[in-house]
Amino acid sequence: MPNDVRYVSTRGAAPELGFTDALLAGLATDGGLYVPAQWPALPPRAPGATYAQRAAQIVQLFIGDELPAATVQRLCDEAYATFSHPAVVPLVQLHHEHFVQELFHGPTLAFKDVALQLVGRLFDEVLRERGQRVTIVGATSGDTGSAAIDGVKDCANVDIVILYPHGRTSDVQRRQMTTVSSPNVRVVAVEGTFDDCQDMVKAMFNDAEFRARMQLSAVNSINWARVMAQIVYYITATDLLAGPINVCVPSGNFGNVFSGWIARRMGAPIDQLVVAANANDILERFFNRNDMSAAAVVPSLSPSMDIQVSSNFERLLFEMNGRDGGLTAEQLQRFRTSGRLSVETDQRAEFIEGRFQAARLDDTETLGVISRTYGESGMLLDPHTAVGVGAVAKLRAAGTLHGTTVTLATAHPAKFPDAVERATGVRPPLPPHLADLFELPEQCTVLPHDLAAIKQFVSTTFR
Ligand SMILES: *Cc1c(COP(=O)(O)O)cnc(C)c1O
């Protein structure tokens, strides 16, 4: 029986696509994000299934017959063999009824590896079959760049150029990008800010001729395949803990927590989804007070959550609007002009009350959680994970969160050693596979903040 999985845009005015086209497109032509036309039901876990086997079973539901099962299994096996823990995403108990799911055992020590190791391989496979190549261009302030580079560094059909602001990332973050020695990887230090880098990437995508000639592509967090790959660990947590469980997610662009929403929609026994925020609390205000109003970004100790407009929230909004793309587009347009968004009482009753909770922590509270957790259990938490652990503690103290809860650990403590040392006096060492990070030679091109120079570099560096 053919299994034709279709994807629709959250703004309702772009053509429906199959999985492969949605993967390569990233953003839909109407500016919307792709979601499957229907949510599949969760199949039971085969006894003894490994993480990679459960992953292949689940992602196949979203790929349909565009890739054979043996191929999907091979790509999952390869992607998750890059993780340095045999359980891939181990569950560790922190406290009475509180577990941490460590998503940071991938090559670059952040949870983004879970998706990008698979997405890079999916890109390479479908491009090889079609006889095409793409050039991925992206801007990074730290984590995403290294995870994207690592995900595609062995791909024959993908070139990647990552721009970062010269002198403005941590040494670990920079070296994780500049020490990758692959013929298809280029790292550019731009003499400018992160926003300058991002604006130049947008300008390249907005230049239709350049975009087509270079076959530009993106792997940012709105790409459907990233959201898809993240569904799996919510499901394996419920498999192992035999649910119902709550899951707490240190959140930024809302991609990770939306993956949890999908897992629950498919039937995984997840009770509450807890959105944890730092001082950039637009999501917390929306969930607790129906107030989504953009403010200026405040730098924090958990920089990967320093986001004001969460791009993946659009996917939840589409669901809350009964999948009415026209209405969703209208609401987002109003949000862009007025800076505010709120939803109807009945939408909140159906989608939010009793389903989502939210809490925020400032930097002082975050350091307190890292210190207290280390004192209680000897576990070192990175600042992003600490925001999640602290959010659970707050909601339990308030009497709103009950039962077994899993907090997603989104980064390895050694990725943010300064904050961890400040809170505990202990500087977490890099794991063995990165121990030589500070000895490897760096390769990087410094370019001015000048679009013409960057375009010239992108178009000539690989050919
Ligand atoms: C990207 C990132 C986040 C935020 O994830 P979203 O999917 O954008 O909500 C949280 N923590 C870390 C360490 C990250 O790298």
Side-chain angles (χ1 to χ4, degrees), residues 392-403:
V392 170
K394 278 194 178 185
L395 294 169
R396 284 202 169 160
T400 59
L401 190 68
H402 309 279

Side-chain angles (χ1 to χ4, degrees), residues 93-175:
Q93 191 163 7
L94 186 65
H95 212 281
H96 178 63
E97 296 192 320
H98 193 179
F99 292 77
V100 162
Q101 190 172 31
E102 295 181 347
L103 305 179
F104 55 66
H105 293 281
T108 75
L109 311 181
F111 93 96
K112 294 187 173 64
D113 290 327
V114 180
L116 284 164
Q117 286 296 319
L118 182 60
V119 170
R121 287 169 172 83
L122 284 167
F123 259 77
D124 209 34
E125 180 67 26
V126 304
L127 290 167
R128 188 183 57 73
E129 283 177 10
R130 291 182 172 199
Q132 291 176 4
R133 291 189 71 77
V134 296
T135 304
I136 290 173
V137 180
T140 189
S141 57
D143 280 356
T144 317
S146 55
I149 288 171
D150 211 281
V152 304
K153 69 177 194 230
D154 298 319
C155 294
N157 306 296
V158 179
D159 296 319
I160 187 165
V161 179
I162 294 290
L163 314 184
Y164 77 89
H166 192 30
R168 294 180 198 232
T169 58
S170 76
D171 289 350
V172 172
Q173 286 175 328
R174 185 191 71 246
R175 285 187 158 268

Side-chain angles (χ1 to χ4, degrees), residues 110-112 143 250-256 304-305 384 410-411:
F111 93 96
K112 294 187 173 64
D143 280 356
S251 293
N253 266 320
F254 202 72
N256 199 357
S304 301
M305 295 158 66
H384 302 76
T410 53

Side-chain angles (χ1 to χ4, degrees), residues 103 111 230 233-234 246-252 254-261 272-277 283 305 356-359 384-385 387-389 391-392 405-410:
L103 305 179
F111 93 96
Q230 293 165 183
Y233 46 76
Y234 288 86
N246 312 304
V247 186
C248 174
V249 191
S251 293
F254 202 72
N256 199 357
V257 62
F258 189 70
S259 298
W261 183 90
Q272 307 288 306
L273 286 165
V274 177
V275 176
L283 288 170
M305 295 158 66
F356 281 100
Q357 295 187 31
H384 302 76
T385 308
V387 170
V389 167
V392 170
T405 300
V406 174
T407 295
L408 301 182
T410 53

